[in-house]
Every structure is written in structure tokens, then in C-alpha cells.
Amino acid sequence: MATTLTLTLTFFLLLLATKLPASLAGKCTTTTATKNFEKCISLSTQQASIAWTYHPHNATLDLCFFGTFISPSGWVGWGINPDTPSQMTGSRVLIAFPDPNSGQLILLPYVLDSSVKLQKAPLLSRPLDILRLSSSSASLYGGNMATIRNGASVQIYASVKLSSNNTKIHHVWNRGLYVQGYSPTIHPTTSTDLSSFSTFDVASGFATVHRNSGSRALKVTHGVINAVAWGFLLPAGAVTARYLRQMQSVGPTWFYIHAAIQLTGFLLGTIGFALGIVLGRGSPGVTYGLHRSLGIATFTAAGLQTLALLFRPKTTNKFRRYWKSYHHFVGYGCVVMGVVNVFQGFEVLREGRSYAKLGYCLCLSTLFGVCVAMEVNSWVVFCRKAKEEKMKRDGLTGDDRCGGIHS
């Protein structure tokens, strides 16, 4: 049963590997209140889109970026990375936000360096140097008098001089919750916000969405391994220990089955934990606090459980009952934290409504159903034995303390 459920769980979780993050594309339009453009595309995240007209005779690009605010005091930005695709660092961006003094919408240029990503210094406006920007402006949908609010739509206009032999643009976009003075603060760090970049050809209109497939595959591998190890094998091992040892026909074999399942889960979980460390080091400035803390706590508890096997007292030892209490307390705590953290992992991967999560829930529900059935059976057996013992003591007329369950 455990092997079948493990294979089923792994199959459903591997669906994560073929499922791309859900995109929130905006509606593409070439018409604005002030200008019409030739082409447009819907961007992959944040309900954003971009429209443009390319003038090949002088390599000039007129464009309009469409974005939305997520806070009345927030910001919306769009920019170009002249050198490297799929990276924020090195981008030259235009950021729109309400002026802290007047409340009117303003648009300022910024250069993003590595210190911004790590939040080492505030982001200060400065000219866009190597990006030849001839004009720029911003306006809210509904005109300049529209109110900046959560969900308000903004248009960022720009005219850019491109190199005559290059029609591809690596561009980035994002939005944040608030601005300190004239310094926009770091944007949210969900997987959607961290994937707001792409490349498009201004001549053909063909767009390429750059996804960090290596990082995505590593996250999926980390999630699948940990879901199988901490989220299924450890609970299955606990169920084995609780119910198999009550079956006299099994004998001491229950212990070896229990130990084998738990050790397999711990070894797989160690691999998954190591992958988590690698992912954390590969994304400085991005932290999933609760998921990280639960992962460390689960791994520590599992390590203590494994070490406890080396110091397991004999059944005749007077400290045996203390060891059993410790083993049960830490073990069940480890199982609960592991399962909770698996669900946290689904949220981190933005798979809260995925078939993979549904498959995991079905496997977990099946295991829970087995527990309920075994618990009922254990209670029936206990009551039957209690009644038989009472009948032996009192003959055939003793009271039934277990609710009248008859054999």
C-alpha cells in the first residue's frame, strides 16, 4: 500500500515539472488616448502589455507600456536592459509614482545596479546614460486627474533610439507597494514578480519569454523530493509503527519496516534539504521565511530521531519509557511540520490550485483513511479483549464497559 501511494504521489507531483507558472497577461491594445501604435503584445505577468511603432529609417522606437498599481502609494516601472536578457541588474528603467509633495503622477529615470537588488542602498534617480531616450511621460487611464489607487492603470510613454543593426529589446517591468521620498522600494519577490522580463523584436513583433528553466527545474525537484520524503514517507512510517506492532502475526518485523521507511524518508529529505540550501544561496534577497524555518525545524527533528536509534535503551532499562516519550513527541512533531511545510512549498511555487497539490491531498487523504480504519479496528479489538477478560473474571454476566460490542 505504501509503495503504491508513494508512486502515485510522485506521479502527481512530477506534473509540476511540465507546468509553467500561471501568467497574468494584460489585454493588448494599440490605441491610447493620445496616440496610436502599429503593434502590441500582452506580457506574461502582472496584467501588463506594451504597444509600439518602429521607424526603421532612423531606428527610433515609440512605445507605451501599460501597467497597474498595487498600492495608492506604490510605483510601476518599465525599462530596458541594454546588455543582458532575463536580468534586472543593469536595466535602465522609467518608474511612475505619486509625487510625495503634490500627489500628482510623476515619471523618473533610474539605473538598477546590484546594490538595489540586495537593498544595500536606496534607489536614486539619475540619467539613463547609455540608453538614448529622447522623450518620456506617464499618465493614468482616464486622464491626468484620475486617482491613483490599488488597481489604477498607468501608461508609460517613451521614445528610444536603437542601434541600426539590432531590433531586439531585452525589457523588464515591475511594481512595488510604496516609495520612500523619491526612492522606490523593492518589489514583491513572488515567482511571478521575479519573472517579469522578456525579449521582443520590434520589427517582427515576436516575443521570447525568458524563464530560468534551471532554477525552475531545481525548485520542482526540491519540491517533489521533500513532498515524498517529509510529506508522505514519514507519516507512513509513523502509521506503520502505531498499527503494525499491534498485530501479533507480524512480530518484530514491524520495527524493521518502520525503520526502513523512516530512514528512506530521512535520506531523501536530506537531499531535498540540501537542494533548498542551494536554491537559497542562488537567490540573495529573496526569502521565504516560514517555509525556510519549517524546513530547518523538520530536518533538525528528523536528525534527532535518527540519532535516537543509536541510543535506544533495552526494554528492561528504566529509562526506556522516557526514551519512548521523547521518540513519540519529536516524531509526531516532525511529521506535522513536514506536512505543513509541503503545503507551504506549494504556495512558494504558486501551485496552490494545481493538479499536483490535488494529487498530494488525495494520497494524504488515503493515508488518513487507513489511519481511521486501523484506529477503529484497534478499538474494536481492545474492547473485545477487555470484554473477554471481564467475562472470564465474572463468568458470563459481567457488565460491558466498551459499549456492548459482541464477538
Side-chain angles (χ1 to χ4, degrees):
M1 173 65 75
T3 303
T4 303
L5 288 176
T6 302
L7 292 175
T8 304
L9 172 62
T10 304
F11 169 76
F12 276 108
L13 290 173
L14 284 174
L15 291 175
L16 285 168
T18 58
K19 184 177 182 297
L20 293 175
S23 63
L24 296 173
K27 184 178 180 181
C28 171
T29 179
T30 58
T31 303
T32 70
T34 59
K35 197 169 185 178
N36 292 331
F37 297 89
E38 292 181 353
K39 296 182 176 67
C40 70
I41 54 174
S42 298
L43 302 179
S44 57
T45 63
Q46 301 180 353
Q47 298 178 319
S49 62
I50 190 169
W52 75 93
T53 299
Y54 178 58
H55 308 285
H57 64 281
N58 60 0
T60 301
L61 179 69
D62 296 325
L63 60 88
C64 178
F65 169 78
F66 302 85
T68 55
F69 284 93
I70 56 173
S71 168
S73 58
W75 57 266
V76 176
W78 173 88
I80 294 175
N81 192 320
D83 304 313
T84 310
S86 71
Q87 283 194 15
M88 178 186 70
T89 303
S91 297
R92 275 64 179 171
V93 300
L94 298 169
I95 299 180
F97 56 89
D99 188 303
N101 296 318
S102 66
Q104 295 296 314
L105 184 70
I106 60 173
L107 184 72
L108 294 178
Y110 295 86
V111 178
L112 306 184
D113 54 29
S114 58
S115 65
V116 174
K117 183 176 181 180
L118 299 177
Q119 305 180 60
K120 293 181 178 179
L123 180 60
L124 303 178
S125 177
R126 55 173 163 159
L128 299 185
D129 51 48
I130 63 175
L131 185 65
R132 291 176 287 179
L133 184 70
S134 56
S135 66
S136 63
S137 63
S139 64
L140 292 169
Y141 279 83
N144 292 328
M145 299 304 293
T147 303
I148 299 176
R149 62 187 185 280
N150 182 12
S153 300
V154 63
Q155 299 169 343
I156 297 177
Y157 297 88
S159 293
V160 183
K161 180 73 173 179
L162 303 179
S163 302
S164 57
N165 59 348
N166 183 21
T167 59
K168 289 186 177 181
I169 285 184
H170 311 307
H171 70 131
V172 299
W173 64 96
N174 228 305
R175 54 193 181 181
L177 289 170
Y178 60 98
V179 179
Q180 293 180 336
Y182 291 90
S183 175
T185 60
I186 190 170
H187 56 74
T189 55
T190 67
S191 59
T192 298
D193 296 295
L194 295 177
S195 58
S196 296
F197 47 78
S198 69
T199 298
F200 72 97
D201 192 306
V202 298
S204 66
F206 179 77
T208 303
V209 178
H210 301 283
R211 298 194 185 276
N212 194 339
S213 58
S215 175
R216 174 69 180 174
L218 193 61
K219 287 180 180 179
V220 169
T221 303
H222 165 76
V224 170
I225 290 176
N226 283 338
V228 173
W230 307 121
F232 183 77
L233 287 179
L234 260 64
V239 170
T240 301
R242 178 170 177 81
Y243 299 112
L244 283 188
R245 65 179 177 182
Q246 298 177 8
M247 301 179 182
Q248 296 180 355
S249 59
V250 175
T253 306
W254 72 266
F255 172 77
Y256 300 105
I257 296 175
H258 167 69
I261 294 175
Q262 299 300 76
L263 285 175
T264 301
F266 177 68
L267 292 176
L268 283 175
T270 301
I271 297 173
F273 182 76
L275 292 177
I277 294 176
V278 173
L279 286 168
R281 290 181 176 177
S283 55
V286 180
T287 303
Y288 302 101
L290 180 59
H291 184 62
R292 180 176 180 270
S293 300
L294 283 174
I296 293 173
T298 303
F299 179 76
T300 303
L304 292 174
Q305 283 290 81
T306 304
L307 289 175
L309 289 175
L310 303 177
F311 304 99
R312 181 167 169 255
K314 294 182 179 180
T315 55
T316 56
N317 193 299
K318 64 179 181 179
F319 294 105
R320 174 76 174 198
R321 61 175 181 172
Y322 301 112
W323 181 90
K324 287 181 64 177
S325 298
Y326 156 84
H327 188 65
H328 290 165
F329 176 78
V330 176
Y332 286 124
C334 181
V335 168
V336 171
M337 289 188 296
V339 171
V340 171
N341 208 26
V342 168
F343 285 102
Q344 280 293 314
F346 280 115
E347 297 303 318
V348 168
L349 284 173
R350 300 185 67 82
E351 300 292 342
R353 297 179 179 271
S354 67
Y355 288 110
K357 183 179 179 181
L358 176 61
Y360 175 71
C361 290
L362 288 175
C363 291
L364 204 61
S365 299
T366 302
L367 188 62
F368 179 75
V370 171
C371 290
V372 172
M374 296 295 291
E375 194 69 33
V376 171
N377 180 71
S378 298
W379 178 250
V380 171
V381 171
F382 169 77
C383 288
R384 183 176 295 168
K385 289 182 177 180
K387 182 182 178 183
E388 290 176 354
E389 290 178 1
K390 183 173 179 59
M391 292 176 68
K392 287 180 181 180
R393 292 195 305 267
D394 303 338
L396 300 177
T397 60
D399 294 332
D400 184 5
R401 291 179 299 174
C402 293
I405 299 176
H406 300 283
S407 56

